[in-house]
Amino acid sequence: MLMKLCLAAIQLLLIAMYVPAVSAAPLQSYKEGELIVRFKNPQKAAKSVSLQKSSIIRKFQRLPVHHIKLPAGVSVQEAVASFKSDPNVLYAEPNYRVRKSVVPNDPNYGSQWHLPLISAPAAWDLFAGTRAVGSIIVAVLDTGMAYSHPDLAPNVWVNSGEICGDGIDNDNNGIIDDCYGANFGSTTQASGDPWDDDTADSHGTHVSGIIGAAGNNSVGGAGINWAARIMAVKFLHGPEGMGDLIDALRGVEYALSRGAKIINMSFEVDEDSGSLRDAITAAENAGVLVISAAGNVGLNLDQTAIFPASVRSPVNIAVAASTSSDTMPSYSDYGRHTVELAAPGGFATGSADAVLSTVWLDNGATLYRTTAGTSMAAPQVAGAAALIWNLHPGLSAVQVKARILNGVDQVAAFAGKTITGGRLNLEKALNALDIPTVFDVSPYQLNWNGGSITVKGANFGVSPGSIALAGTTMTVSVWNDTQITAVIPQNAQSGTVRVNGQGSGFPVTIVPLITLSASSVSGVAPLTVDLTAEIRSAASITKYEWDLGEGIFKAIPGTTSQITHTFVTAGTYYVRFRITDNTGNIVVESLTITATAETATLPSAPESNGYCFIATAAYGSYLHPHVRLLRDFRDTRLLTNAPGRAFVSLYYRWSPPVAAVISEHDTLRILSRWALTPIVLLIEFPLMTLMFILLSAVAGLACANRNKSYHVRLTHSLFK
Ligand code: CA
Ligand code: CA
């Protein structure tokens, strides 16, 4: 039994030591032979491109980017590096792959629980049954749309500049018969047919129906905005719903060029993309709102970015998913500083807790289905934004965003996981006032010393009012309607930044400041040191932990921010102090203590001068590096007690003559080394050595010293 345990322990150790670090193979996440480049001076783009022996596939009109074709044999990575070395290049990035925010399949019909949950019926009452309140164009950048679906056809955007089906590009935008939208990436030339070819999910059709399926028309279900005009902008293809970033950019440009006010982006890119950021900036400049699915990986986007959800823009709204019971489903990405709010996205495949909307499956035999995902949550907000704009056409994009944020229902499950801590409420959003609303604070984490912050939002007003963090007023240096620069004072509390004490705010964290000091940072071992941590924090500290050079934190009973410790053994100690405050902040501070080996009172232990026979025997051999180990053992285990000191004294009395003899005879030196080896190992690896000795004995392998020596040396070699 014991042997089994030993063997198991040895196996575990061997596995722990010899299994190499596994790293996942990188996925092919971009298209070969192409780049997306932004030039500082677009006039000189042609020159820069020809220097790289590349060519321009497309120059965008509304986005500041070029689509570049690389010469044969040049890898994307090489080309990115090469382009970046050109001073006229602002950024060069791969044409990344984009995927729909994956939707779990659900073949069952369910009820549209999401509509009463967000108070849609009450909101619809505001329309008094009319849809003659203007038509906001919502572009759905997705897998396309089944535009002849009976519940979608009434609300499909129709391009007034195009005569459908005549085979002529009537509006002269380069796309023939783009009547309901356009299709990018199926062929080199954009097509005018954005029909949804996602036979697995009908993703774009489902998203479109959530925004604007015709309501109150005795057909199927209802969308949020019965008066919306849905523009189908297809760039994701096939049942996998994959596409290329460049085609998403073409889609954004198309939507902006055709008058869309809202762009729904229920898709994800893992890579940070300058061009996607620029596309959202172009939307901002055009006064267009962007609604982004937070993504379906269950990530905290404050730590791991997903795009476009993670783009911090005054016109971008990132949306997490909520369930019918107002919880956050585990798949939903979230982020206290990144994701604005939650909206119904449903729980899971196969449950009634998913969102019912329009699809075109089985060649039109299936027209409705429930699916779940943040892909379903984003269009609820897009529909709400369109409804607000329908009723209040004079609002700016940031004012529409502000109304949505101010109109949320505060829900415990979304507190700390979203900026607003709430879930979409359509009725409240429609009735919300234009009050100061904070979208973003940069930086949102500061230390005790405070500092300057930039606050972005809406409805701040043109004349300075007041801005406060957790109720403490700040000094203002810049104030305009959408941006404020203010100073957080020293010793402020973590909390929410709010303007004029109104509206939705933004969480800011004040991290305690630690100054760690020692009465001395070096000296001869045993070294006694007073360690003192000065903590500056407005929050209360709930946990104090020390790591006295052992590599682990421990709460030391009776000790908080001051401790006296003796470093017995010579060595370099990496001392750390860690606190946790009542808001969950964890702060670590460290310093290094060096305890040196030699002391005036210890007997001298020269390495090979003939006094210490151990050093003499080990000199120049594999044991040589371990002499220090024996000395440490002497200093910490032997010199600290009376019998030990007697032994050391005895050793140094007899050692010089022994050293003198063995230094003259190589055979004696070798024999001495053999004799010393088990002692060294016993000190260095006591458990392992004992286990091997035990194992050897039990297995009956080693009665001879040679065998034992063999096993011991094997163990040793494992650890070197
Ligand atoms: Ca056209
Ligand atoms: Ca035409």
Side-chain angles (χ1 to χ4, degrees):
M1 184 60 197
L2 193 57
M3 189 176 126
K4 269 189 177 171
L5 278 174
C6 285
L7 276 169
I10 290 159
Q11 273 178 348
L12 276 174
L13 278 164
L14 287 174
I15 289 165
M17 291 170 65
Y18 283 101
V19 170
V22 178
S23 62
L27 294 168
Q28 187 64 12
S29 59
Y30 51 80
K31 210 169 180 182
E32 291 294 346
E34 298 179 7
L35 279 191
I36 300 170
V37 180
R38 178 171 176 183
F39 297 98
K40 280 179 194 150
N41 182 354
Q43 309 294 324
K44 294 182 181 166
K47 190 183 168 198
S48 293
V49 169
S50 78
L51 278 174
Q52 304 285 345
K53 300 189 167 37
S54 304
S55 58
I56 296 173
I57 300 171
R58 176 170 291 98
K59 181 187 182 311
F60 283 71
Q61 301 303 316
R62 285 176 167 76
L63 313 185
V65 296
H66 284 70
H67 187 193
I68 304 293
K69 184 171 176 51
L70 304 176
V74 174
S75 78
V76 167
Q77 279 179 325
E78 286 167 348
V80 164
S82 181
F83 267 91
K84 279 182 175 171
S85 66
D86 179 343
N88 189 36
V89 169
L90 210 55
Y91 59 74
E93 61 191 21
N95 183 9
Y96 292 117
R97 298 291 284 167
V98 181
R99 63 178 183 276
K100 63 184 177 184
S101 287
V102 184
V103 180
N105 287 343
D106 183 354
N108 302 319
Y109 282 79
S111 61
Q112 290 185 296
W113 55 266
H114 62 285
L115 294 173
L117 186 70
I118 64 170
S119 303
W124 294 330
D125 287 345
L126 295 170
F127 280 83
T130 170
R131 43 175 291 177
V133 285
S135 42
I136 297 298
I137 301 169
V138 184
V140 176
L141 251 72
D142 214 293
T143 61
M145 176 171 45
Y147 40 76
S148 52
H149 191 290
D151 240 358
L152 289 173
N155 286 347
V156 170
W157 168 77
V158 178
N159 182 357
S160 58
E162 194 66 46
I163 298 165
C164 299
D166 67 352
I168 297 167
D169 177 16
N170 309 86
D171 62 357
N172 207 22
N173 66 351
I175 308 170
I176 295 164
D177 289 348
D178 51 325
C179 296
Y180 314 121
N183 175 352
F184 300 97
S186 285
T187 54
T188 311
Q189 177 61 37
S191 137
D193 187 0
W195 185 262
D196 188 352
D197 67 346
D198 177 2
T199 52
D201 294 317
S202 260
H203 192 267
T205 302
H206 199 273
V207 166
S208 298
I210 293 168
I211 296 169
N216 203 23
N217 65 343
S218 310
V219 179
I224 286 172
N225 185 339
W226 308 339
R229 292 278 169 258
I230 315 282
M231 179 193 287
V233 183
K234 178 175 176 63
F235 82 103
L236 298 170
H237 302 279
E240 300 300 318
M242 296 295 288
D244 298 319
L245 176 59
I246 194 74
D247 295 320
L249 302 178
R250 292 168 77 190
V252 171
E253 180 152 286
Y254 182 84
L256 296 180
S257 74
R258 309 317 293 167
K261 289 295 282 177
I262 297 162
I263 305 177
N264 189 87
M265 300 190 181
S266 286
F267 57 82
E268 307 170 30
V269 195
D270 290 336
E271 310 294 333
D272 192 356
S273 155
S275 60
L276 193 53
R277 289 176 182 274
D278 277 340
I280 292 177
T281 303
E284 182 184 351
N285 294 338
V288 168
L289 260 185
V290 176
I291 317 295
S292 305
N296 294 353
V297 198
L299 290 172
N300 180 353
L301 299 189
D302 290 355
Q303 291 159 4
T304 309
I306 290 280
F307 297 88
S310 291
V311 177
R312 299 299 305 142
S313 158
V315 296
N316 192 15
I317 305 178
V319 188
S322 66
T323 66
S324 61
S325 51
D326 260 343
T327 59
M328 185 170 280
S330 59
Y331 65 76
S332 179
D333 294 348
Y334 58 94
R336 187 176 176 225
H337 298 105
T338 313
V339 176
E340 270 74 11
L341 76 167
F347 178 66
T349 303
S351 71
D353 192 346
V355 178
L356 177 73
S357 183
T358 49
V359 292
W360 189 278
L361 296 170
D362 319 316
N363 283 323
T366 303
L367 293 175
Y368 300 91
R369 205 175 72 167
T370 62
T371 43
T374 55
S375 275
M376 282 61 246
Q380 316 239 3
V381 176
L387 210 53
I388 293 169
W389 244 328
N390 276 146
L391 278 183
H392 310 283
L395 295 180
S396 66
V398 291
Q399 284 178 314
V400 172
K401 175 172 171 177
R403 287 195 176 214
I404 289 167
L405 302 198
N406 286 321
V408 298
D409 281 330
Q410 296 293 326
V411 176
F414 313 127
K417 293 204 160 183
T418 58
I419 294 167
T420 58
R423 186 248 311 125
L424 176 69
N425 183 309
L426 195 53
E427 186 194 9
K428 282 192 192 172
L430 280 172
N431 288 319
L433 301 171
D434 294 323
I435 52 176
T437 309
V438 178
F439 297 160
D440 202 5
V441 172
S442 176
Y444 57 71
Q445 184 168 301
L446 299 95
N447 71 21
W448 175 87
N449 280 325
S452 182
I453 55 168
T454 303
V455 180
K456 289 185 180 174
N459 306 320
F460 296 158
V462 287
S463 52
S466 70
I467 179 166
L469 168 62
T472 303
T473 304
M474 290 179 260
T475 311
V476 173
S477 58
V478 176
W479 185 295
N480 65 49
D481 192 44
T482 56
Q483 190 164 321
I484 297 169
T485 305
V487 176
I488 290 180
Q490 267 195 355
N491 207 17
Q493 291 264 16
S494 296
T496 304
V497 166
R498 240 179 267 281
V499 174
N500 292 352
Q502 291 176 291
S504 184
F506 197 91
V508 165
T509 304
I510 304 296
V511 181
L513 193 66
I514 303 175
T515 312
L516 188 59
S517 61
S519 54
S520 65
V521 292
S522 65
V524 173
L527 177 65
T528 299
V529 178
D530 295 329
L531 293 157
T532 306
E534 188 192 339
I535 303 165
R536 281 171 292 178
S537 169
S540 60
I541 309 302
T542 54
K543 207 190 230 177
Y544 302 82
E545 295 163 296
W546 290 90
D547 166 16
L548 298 164
E550 297 167 304
I552 47 162
F553 285 106
K554 286 178 188 163
I556 299 170
T559 303
T560 54
S561 55
Q562 213 274 328
I563 190 169
T564 301
H565 183 70
T566 302
F567 298 91
V568 177
T569 317
T572 302
Y573 295 90
Y574 187 56
V575 172
R576 296 183 296 165
F577 175 63
R578 181 165 77 179
I579 55 170
T580 307
D581 75 11
N582 61 345
T583 64
N585 283 316
I586 295 172
V587 189
V588 179
E589 194 54 62
S590 65
L591 56 76
T592 303
I593 304 281
T594 309
T596 49
E598 304 302 329
T599 77
T601 55
L602 289 178
S604 66
E607 298 253 339
S608 58
N609 63 2
Y611 290 105
C612 170
F613 91 86
I614 292 176
T616 305
Y619 186 74
S621 79
Y622 65 91
L623 270 185
H624 189 100
H626 300 284
V627 172
R628 170 165 286 275
L629 189 78
L630 292 173
R631 286 213 216 140
D632 288 343
F633 186 74
R634 171 199 70 193
D635 295 345
T636 58
R637 301 292 167 84
L638 299 179
L639 291 176
T640 50
N641 57 76
R645 279 193 292 273
F647 175 82
V648 171
S649 172
L650 198 67
Y651 169 81
Y652 280 101
R653 189 186 303 168
W654 289 103
S655 181
V658 175
V661 173
I662 64 172
S663 68
E664 297 297 316
H665 298 89
D666 277 352
T667 318
L668 280 177
R669 283 185 61 192
I670 290 163
L671 283 173
S672 304
R673 285 208 290 270
W674 283 7
L676 288 168
T677 299
I679 297 171
V680 170
L681 290 170
L682 204 58
I683 293 169
E684 193 164 4
F685 311 111
L687 192 65
M688 278 299 295
T689 310
L690 281 173
M691 273 195 324
F692 265 87
I693 291 169
L694 194 64
L695 181 63
S696 303
V698 171
L701 285 174
C703 51
N705 275 336
R706 199 171 60 85
N707 282 355
K708 190 189 278 182
S709 165
Y710 170 76
H711 278 280
V712 170
R713 287 178 66 175
L714 179 66
T715 318
H716 184 228
S717 74
L718 285 178
F719 280 85
K720 287 311 289 179

